[in-house]
Amino acid sequence: MRTIVLLLAALALAGCDQNMEVQPRYGEYARAPLFRSSSARNPPAGAVARDALAKEKEATQRPALTADLLERGRQRFTIFCSPCHGAGGDGNGRIVQRGMPHPTSYHDPRLVAADDQHFFDVITDGYGAMYSYASRIPSRDRWAIVAYIRALQLSRRASLDDVPPDQRARLESMP
Ligand code: HEC
């Protein structure tokens, strides 16, 4: 009998140990009777996210074009964009081969003529079926990717005249 009482007491006391483990709260997007709608609330009109202004300012500061920046762009492009746009930018990446809508090739005359800002804005805001990368790619890296896309485009349009004269001979002597 004594054992049973002790056992029950132990069980009952264990039940009291709530600490802060159990806290009543809403799950994400759960129904919230208090608001008569979802627990995810719209920010009040005119609210500005804490770092929004700083990020906006940063986006206008384009880094200088260097070989390091291009290399960073190549790496970020390969990670974030090539799964859909393909390594060469034709828009035939693995995900597209498996059903994602086919994006316009970067070598399409419209995109060759588009300015750098268009590419930056597409990465920032998304475009049609493509979602925004603003939360994943900081603006400096977005500019690096834009620079690399420009290099990809140039790689198909460049002529011998674009090569510095002192290096042309070396190119021409290649088999
Ligand atoms: C999950 C697939 C996917 C990924 C990853 C992706 N895109 Fe896209 N992108 C698309 C699709 C699909 C479109 C076409 C959207 C449409 O027309 O509705 C597109 C369109 C574009 C366009 C063309 C916009 C125009 O004017 O036609 C650009 C530029 C672009 N993406 C750049 C990028 C860059 C840069 C990255 C990497 C940071 C990237 N995309 C990553 C799927 C993707």
Side-chain angles (χ1 to χ4, degrees), residues 89-172:
D90 299 279
N92 202 23
R94 283 280 167 209
I95 300 180
V96 171
Q97 290 169 31
R98 285 165 176 72
M100 184 89 188
H102 195 294
T104 309
S105 164
Y106 293 157
H107 308 287
D108 182 278
R110 178 175 67 81
L111 285 179
V112 171
D115 60 7
D116 294 353
Q117 191 68 45
H118 178 62
F119 290 89
F120 186 90
D121 292 346
V122 170
I123 306 175
T124 308
D125 304 325
Y127 185 91
M130 176 185 149
Y131 38 73
S132 155
Y133 279 84
S135 65
R136 280 162 283 189
I137 307 181
S139 49
R140 191 175 194 283
D141 282 349
R142 278 177 240 161
W143 285 121
I145 291 174
V146 173
Y148 183 67
I149 292 177
R150 287 306 190 197
L152 274 182
Q153 291 176 325
L154 187 66
S155 72
R156 301 222 184 146
R157 290 182 295 119
S159 75
L160 202 56
D161 295 340
D162 296 320
V163 180
D166 55 323
Q167 291 178 34
R168 260 178 232 165
R170 199 165 64 93
L171 257 190
E172 279 168 331

Side-chain angles (χ1 to χ4, degrees), residues 5-55:
V5 170
L6 275 177
L7 201 67
L8 282 176
L11 280 177
L13 284 175
C16 292
D17 182 29
Q18 280 200 355
N19 290 333
M20 294 174 72
E21 288 155 25
V22 183
Q23 297 189 25
R25 60 171 180 81
Y26 288 128
E28 235 171 289
Y29 299 110
R31 242 193 85 67
L34 179 65
F35 304 120
R36 298 209 183 106
S37 66
S38 154
S39 65
R41 314 299 307 148
N42 287 327
V48 178
R50 207 174 142 181
D51 52 357
L53 296 179
K55 280 193 172 148

